[in-house]
Amino acid sequence: MESRGARLEMHQENGQVVVVLTTEDGDDSGAGGIELLRYVLDDPSDPWESPKPHLHPLRTTSGAVVTDHRPDDHRWHKGLAVTLTHVTPERGAPQNFWGGNTYVPDQGYLPLEEVGSVRHLGFEHAAVTADGQRVELDQKLQWLTHGGAEWFLERRSLVVHSADRGAPDRPGTWALDLVSDLLNTSGQELRIGSPTTLGRPAAGYCGLFWRGPRSWTGRPVLSPAGEVAEDVAMGSPSETTPWLALSGPRDGVDGEEGSGGTVALVADLSADVPGRAGARTDWFVRSAEFPGIAPSPAFSTEVVLAPGEHLLLAHRVLVADAQLTAEQVADALAALPGTP
């Protein structure tokens, strides 16, 4: 699923990795190509927001933005990011690696200071394939508590691939595979949970989280079963619902009437990662309040990691330059290499 005459390019600027879709000769009608994503390595946000590397903006192949960043309702929502909501150690205070207020049973959300952060340590590999069809990043990251103790050492890979500019009979699309391998380096058992594991219903957010454009609020949730209500998709297991998607109109970019974009998240690509088994994931999704999706490894059941154990999160993100139906999302995902 690739577009003839199109290439992916990558460069770094001001602590960010930028991936651009351009034509074969490096020119795009004088525009320099379409910037598909920016990967922010050094997040300058307030510590209360749990600073971490994140991807924003993500754009369609025509340049429409399909992420939101620091919205007024949740300042710690930043495009596409790997998060852990509530991590409880054997000794010491729980840490919030999501950002914002921390959920406390029987008390609700409180502005606690135990909010951790994630630090980019460096790239072990960063390259574009010779044919310009893939951008590959292998990264090392450190998860730090509010007090500066390392609890996780992460190896993360990001692969941008399958970029297709589209044609009259199909929209432009591209895909991102993100694998996050978290090693417990804390020296003690860690329990990874969410507000739902602590007693708040339908708040199992954790893991990879995408925050969508505000113009997509209230849109139908798309799934392999078609359009479904938010409360039906909420908490559904990835074994029976391998992907969820949202779509909506363009925001801030001109386009034809009815044009827009779609973002689909695919859970559990760990079968393609040699020697690693992923945690079970259940879907957290919001649409009525704001657009957001997370394949959560701790929706209603904690993940318990002994010292030296790994948690693997392996997911795919599809970005389409049109408002797709559920059937069209399924077809686009099926055309990608390695989609289960």
Side-chain angles (χ1 to χ4, degrees):
M1 188 176 182
E2 61 188 43
S3 180
R4 295 183 61 187
R7 296 178 57 88
L8 293 169
E9 299 180 355
M10 176 186 69
H11 64 273
Q12 296 191 42
E13 60 179 57
N14 301 322
Q16 301 181 15
V17 175
V18 182
V19 175
V20 174
L21 177 64
T22 187
T23 54
E24 194 169 81
D25 60 5
D27 179 68
D28 194 330
S29 302
I34 297 297
E35 181 184 299
L36 296 183
L37 67 83
R38 283 184 175 259
Y39 187 28
V40 179
L41 305 177
D42 183 15
D43 182 357
S45 301
D46 185 279
W48 183 73
E49 296 181 13
S50 184
K52 59 178 66 70
H54 57 274
L55 295 115
H56 174 79
L58 300 184
R59 290 188 172 92
T60 68
T61 54
S62 67
V65 176
V66 294
T67 49
D68 202 356
H69 180 262
R70 299 189 72 241
D72 59 352
D73 52 22
H74 296 81
R75 289 294 186 193
W76 49 96
H77 289 184
K78 296 169 185 176
L80 182 73
V82 180
T83 72
L84 295 177
T85 313
H86 194 91
V87 183
T88 303
E90 290 181 273
R91 304 175 300 277
Q95 296 289 315
N96 169 0
F97 292 98
W98 174 271
N101 291 339
T102 300
Y103 184 80
V104 179
D106 302 320
Q107 298 183 62
Y109 287 96
L110 300 178
L112 305 183
E113 68 174 8
E114 286 83 9
V115 179
S117 61
V118 183
R119 177 185 300 169
H120 166 71
L121 296 180
F123 287 113
E124 298 178 330
H125 174 73
V128 182
T129 55
D131 60 2
Q133 297 303 309
R134 290 165 62 93
V135 173
E136 301 172 351
L137 302 172
D138 292 314
Q139 184 185 19
K140 191 174 182 180
L141 306 101
Q142 186 179 39
W143 292 59
L144 302 171
T145 68
H146 176 76
E150 179 186 286
W151 276 11
F152 299 100
L153 186 64
E154 179 189 355
R155 295 187 181 277
R156 181 181 300 179
S157 71
L158 301 94
V159 179
V160 181
H161 63 96
S162 304
D164 183 346
R165 288 180 171 275
D169 62 339
R170 69 179 191 279
T173 55
W174 62 276
L176 167 69
D177 292 351
L178 193 153
V179 178
S180 175
D181 188 348
L182 290 153
L183 171 66
N184 178 359
T185 58
S186 68
Q188 58 183 315
E189 181 182 272
L190 297 175
R191 303 197 320 272
I192 300 168
S194 69
T196 294
T197 65
L198 298 174
R200 185 192 174 203
Y205 48 84
C206 185
L208 181 68
F209 176 65
W210 164 76
R211 172 68 189 250
R214 302 180 205 201
S215 61
W216 294 17
T217 302
R219 305 289 296 182
V221 179
L222 306 178
S223 79
E227 290 188 6
V228 296
E230 178 183 313
D231 61 349
V232 172
M234 182 72 77
S236 58
S238 58
E239 290 95 335
T240 57
T241 306
W243 59 265
L244 287 182
L246 286 170
S247 69
R250 290 168 175 261
D251 197 3
V253 177
D254 291 334
E256 297 179 1
E257 184 177 354
S259 63
T262 301
V263 171
L265 273 70
V266 181
D268 302 337
L269 292 179
S270 54
D272 292 333
V273 183
R276 293 284 183 234
R280 164 192 165 135
T281 53
D282 300 308
W283 289 103
F284 170 82
V285 58
R286 290 271 192 260
S287 175
E289 181 182 355
F290 60 79
I293 302 175
S296 172
F299 188 96
S300 56
T301 303
E302 289 183 328
V303 175
V304 180
L305 289 185
E309 285 191 335
H310 294 256
L311 170 65
L312 184 77
L313 307 173
H315 306 304
R316 168 166 289 171
V317 180
L318 170 74
V319 178
D321 194 33
Q323 296 185 57
L324 302 184
T325 65
E327 182 179 5
Q328 289 171 323
V329 173
D331 290 343
L333 289 172
L336 297 175
T339 298

